[in-house]
Amino acid sequence: MRKVGILFEFVRVLILLFFLTAILYFLLRTLYETIGIETENYLYILTFAILLVVYVIYTNKLQFTGFYTKGAKKMPPKITWSILSISFLLISVPIIINYIG
């Protein structure tokens, strides 16, 4: 039963990764298009920033509600804020480049 729980958790992580990334990318793309920034030029930067945010959300919240919660730990607050700060900087890079360049 333990292997089945791990398999279900893996599938759950993949589904969450897909949907959360798609939702966050859609929101950012809509915001950037409203401002007048083309998102195709910054696809890799935005994808990496979104994946960092999804990782923090999963590590601090979602891993405690899954099929396999044994050994689950939250990230320390300093690491959480560091990762979110890097993500925010990456998300703001297209805005800064668009208005400077």
Side-chain angles (χ1 to χ4, degrees):
M1 182 64 179
R2 183 176 175 187
K3 290 182 182 179
V4 174
I6 293 172
L7 179 66
F8 282 153
E9 184 65 20
F10 180 70
V11 171
R12 179 179 172 262
V13 167
L14 290 178
I15 291 170
L16 286 170
L17 181 70
F18 176 76
F19 282 111
L20 287 175
T21 304
I23 289 168
L24 290 173
Y25 183 74
F26 174 76
L27 292 173
L28 280 175
R29 190 183 76 204
T30 304
L31 174 71
Y32 286 163
E33 286 176 357
T34 303
I35 297 173
I37 299 173
E38 291 292 327
T39 57
E40 288 80 23
N41 299 334
Y42 308 104
L43 181 64
Y44 293 116
I45 294 173
L46 292 178
T47 303
F48 186 67
I50 290 170
L51 288 175
L52 286 175
V53 171
V54 170
Y55 174 72
V56 169
I57 291 171
Y58 179 78
T59 306
N60 286 339
K61 297 288 180 191
L62 298 177
Q63 75 175 341
F64 302 107
T65 62
F67 297 102
Y68 187 76
T69 59
K70 184 177 181 180
K73 296 179 188 175
K74 287 179 88 170
M75 274 194 291
K78 284 185 179 182
I79 294 175
T80 298
W81 284 108
S82 298
I83 293 174
L84 289 177
S85 298
I86 291 169
S87 179
F88 178 74
L89 287 173
L90 288 173
I91 289 171
S92 63
V93 162
I95 297 171
I96 294 169
I97 290 175
N98 189 49
Y99 285 113
I100 289 177

